[in-house]
Amino acid sequence: MAAHTIATTFSSAFPFWDKLSATDQESLCRTSHAVTFPKGTNIHNGDECTGVILVKSGCLRVYILSEDGKDITLYRLFPGDICILSASCALNTITFDVHVDTEAESNCIIVSGCAFSDLSERVAEVKIFALETTVARFSDVMWVMEQILFMSFDRRLAIFLLDESAKNQSDSVKLTHEQIARYMGSAREVVSRMLKYFSAEGIVESTRGGIRILDKKRLRALAL
Amino acid sequence: MAAHTIATTFSSAFPFWDKLSATDQESLCRTSHAVTFPKGTNIHNGDECTGVILVKSGCLRVYILSEDGKDITLYRLFPGDICILSASCALNTITFDVHVDTEAESNCIIVSGCAFSDLSERVAEVKIFALETTVARFSDVMWVMEQILFMSFDRRLAIFLLDESAKNQSDSVKLTHEQIARYMGSAREVVSRMLKYFSAEGIVESTRGGIRILDKKRLRALAL
């Protein structure tokens, strides 16, 4: 992607763009590059400084990973969204590590973490933008935390299945237990156990490659 | 507390103090007041805008509360710390509610949320300070989340008891199951069940008003 195309993207994605000098604009473009990642690529892995990621198309999943491989989805990023947590060198008050994978083929622009950090030290608007973006993610994470810690799992699974069904306008949810667990930030065993319970109750049935909702009324009652 | 005493406190607590005009300094002092809260006072309750709280002495506990009354401690604030999440009107990207209680008699200065918000819109350094303080709390919350979601509870309880024992230089931990649950962000039932298991194993014994550690070696092994 040519530098002037990156500049066009930046001018609409970064609210601080007009506050930068021509030299800073040019330098930010020069230290940035466009990349297309296939679906399922791990593009940020813990504490290295991958850089600031601007999503042009596709979808990124941001998650935390335990030592024994359990992962919890914090939020997803869609076209127009910006990932700052992957630029640990740009935010020195962030002491935790996240991982970022693509969930679909994704076109991204990656801004060098050092260049971004340097700029944010000189231009208050850049620093405010980086911090505000991070604080907005804090709200997303609190929501996930409350979902996981406070809401009972049957209710959460019922809500998830109803949402998927509504989204696809179908009574079939074409996801494996493993995928549902990942989307819900839970473990496969927990999902399988609850689905077995729902099946025994005649609420859903397992199908090849997914779940079919049999009793939407009872599922809705669980979701209340 | 006289306005000049508040000004002295602000000048050491707020790194942006010297960047403010004399008028802004004066006005911030005028919209602030000192309060002494007894131990156990709820000083912020969800989504109202209590204001920015500066802790001069004592200790504040910041937590989230579920509809059915379960609470999870996010972090504690000590002298010199500042609570921004209690000033929802000053941070429009924060969409979740926290609660704040005193855990000891606490002297605080409360800055009007509106005055602070107005100032942060005009002075970039104030906004950056508010956002950076919030982002640092984000890191605290992620730590708690990983503790709760990833670490097995026996290990967490073992670590907690060893920490308390080391802090008080005693094998007795003078806390009820309810208090331990609250400190650990768990439920009393979960704590009681695990302590019963530890007792059965001869690792601890329940005493009047607390727990005595009998086998520190095994407790340490659990904490690894």
Side-chain angles (χ1 to χ4, degrees):
Chain A
M1 193 186 285
H4 71 272
T5 327
I6 291 186
T8 310
T9 306
F10 283 177
S11 73
S12 64
F14 292 140
F16 56 74
W17 190 250
D18 292 341
K19 310 280 182 194
L20 299 182
S21 68
T23 318
D24 280 338
Q25 289 186 348
E26 221 175 286
S27 140
L28 201 65
C29 291
R30 220 181 317 112
T31 53
S32 303
H33 59 287
V35 197
T36 301
F37 296 106
K39 178 177 171 178
T41 312
N42 171 251
I43 60 181
H44 175 67
N45 184 8
D47 63 353
E48 88 233 46
C49 187
T50 303
V52 174
I53 306 167
L54 197 157
V55 186
K56 288 203 69 179
S57 72
C59 173
L60 309 186
R61 184 172 77 95
V62 180
Y63 59 100
I64 50 173
L65 200 61
S66 72
E67 281 169 27
D68 56 356
K70 192 179 169 193
D71 85 38
I72 293 171
T73 301
L74 300 179
Y75 48 83
R76 288 182 167 74
L77 297 171
F78 298 99
D81 287 341
I82 285 153
C83 186
I84 302 267
L85 293 185
S86 51
S88 47
C89 45
L91 283 170
N92 49 23
T93 38
I94 287 290
T95 58
F96 58 93
D97 298 332
V98 299
H99 300 254
V100 183
D101 286 2
T102 55
E103 289 209 315
E105 183 182 270
S106 303
N107 287 303
C108 301
I109 297 177
I110 304 204
V111 186
S112 145
C114 297
F116 192 87
S117 169
D118 169 61
L119 194 62
S120 81
E121 287 309 317
R122 288 187 292 109
V123 185
E125 283 87 354
V126 177
K127 185 166 230 171
I128 288 172
F129 172 77
L131 289 166
E132 279 186 335
T133 304
T134 308
V135 168
R137 297 305 163 208
F138 187 6
S139 291
D140 291 338
V141 166
M142 289 303 295
W143 184 84
V144 171
M145 192 165 166
E146 291 182 356
Q147 286 272 318
I148 295 178
L149 297 173
F150 288 155
M151 212 194 262
S152 57
F153 192 75
D154 56 349
R155 192 179 159 210
R156 290 177 54 219
L157 185 56
I159 292 172
F160 178 82
L161 293 174
L162 289 167
D163 283 353
E164 283 297 311
S165 154
K167 209 159 68 183
N168 306 316
Q169 297 184 296
S170 158
D171 283 344
S172 287
V173 175
K174 296 209 175 305
L175 293 170
T176 65
H177 297 189
E178 181 72 52
Q179 286 172 315
I180 295 175
R182 189 154 291 205
Y183 279 105
M184 293 183 65
S186 181
R188 190 190 53 72
E189 293 81 350
V190 177
V191 171
S192 297
R193 194 171 53 197
M194 192 58 76
L195 283 173
K196 202 170 159 187
Y197 168 74
F198 284 2
S199 295
E201 295 285 295
I203 300 172
V204 303
E205 81 180 342
S206 287
T207 59
R208 223 180 127 78
I211 291 112
R212 183 177 301 122
I213 298 171
L214 300 175
D215 194 337
K216 204 168 262 186
K217 215 167 140 185
R218 287 189 58 205
L219 204 58
R220 286 216 184 90
L222 276 173
L224 285 181
Chain B
M1 194 186 285
H4 71 274
T5 327
I6 290 186
T8 310
T9 306
F10 282 177
S11 71
S12 63
F14 292 139
F16 57 74
W17 190 249
D18 292 341
K19 311 278 181 194
L20 299 182
S21 68
T23 317
D24 280 338
Q25 288 185 349
E26 220 175 285
S27 141
L28 201 65
C29 291
R30 219 182 317 113
T31 54
S32 302
H33 59 285
V35 197
T36 301
F37 296 106
K39 178 178 170 177
T41 311
N42 171 251
I43 60 180
H44 175 67
N45 184 7
D47 64 351
E48 88 233 44
C49 187
T50 303
V52 174
I53 306 167
L54 197 157
V55 186
K56 289 204 67 179
S57 72
C59 173
L60 309 185
R61 184 172 76 95
V62 179
Y63 59 100
I64 51 173
L65 200 60
S66 73
E67 281 169 27
D68 56 357
K70 191 180 169 194
D71 85 39
I72 292 171
T73 301
L74 299 179
Y75 48 84
R76 288 182 167 74
L77 298 170
F78 297 97
D81 287 341
I82 285 154
C83 186
I84 302 266
L85 294 185
S86 52
S88 47
C89 46
L91 284 170
N92 50 25
T93 39
I94 287 289
T95 58
F96 58 92
D97 297 333
V98 298
H99 299 254
V100 183
D101 286 2
T102 55
E103 289 208 316
E105 183 181 271
S106 303
N107 288 305
C108 301
I109 297 178
I110 303 203
V111 186
S112 145
C114 297
F116 192 88
S117 169
D118 169 62
L119 193 61
S120 81
E121 287 310 317
R122 288 186 293 110
V123 185
E125 284 87 354
V126 176
K127 186 166 230 172
I128 289 172
F129 172 77
L131 289 166
E132 279 186 335
T133 305
T134 307
V135 168
R137 295 304 163 210
F138 187 6
S139 291
D140 291 339
V141 165
M142 289 302 296
W143 184 85
V144 170
M145 192 165 166
E146 291 182 355
Q147 286 271 318
I148 295 178
L149 298 174
F150 288 155
M151 214 194 262
S152 57
F153 191 74
D154 54 349
R155 190 176 161 213
R156 292 177 54 218
L157 186 56
I159 291 172
F160 178 82
L161 293 175
L162 288 168
D163 284 352
E164 283 296 312
S165 155
K167 209 161 67 183
N168 306 317
Q169 298 184 296
S170 157
D171 284 343
S172 287
V173 175
K174 296 208 176 305
L175 293 169
T176 66
H177 297 189
E178 181 71 53
Q179 286 171 313
I180 294 175
R182 189 154 292 203
Y183 278 106
M184 294 184 63
S186 180
R188 189 190 54 71
E189 293 81 349
V190 177
V191 171
S192 297
R193 195 172 50 196
M194 191 58 75
L195 283 173
K196 203 170 157 187
Y197 167 75
F198 283 3
S199 296
E201 296 284 296
I203 300 171
V204 303
E205 80 179 343
S206 286
T207 59
R208 222 180 128 78
I211 291 110
R212 182 177 301 124
I213 298 171
L214 300 176
D215 192 338
K216 204 168 262 187
K217 216 167 137 185
R218 287 189 58 204
L219 204 59
R220 286 214 184 91
L222 275 173
L224 286 179

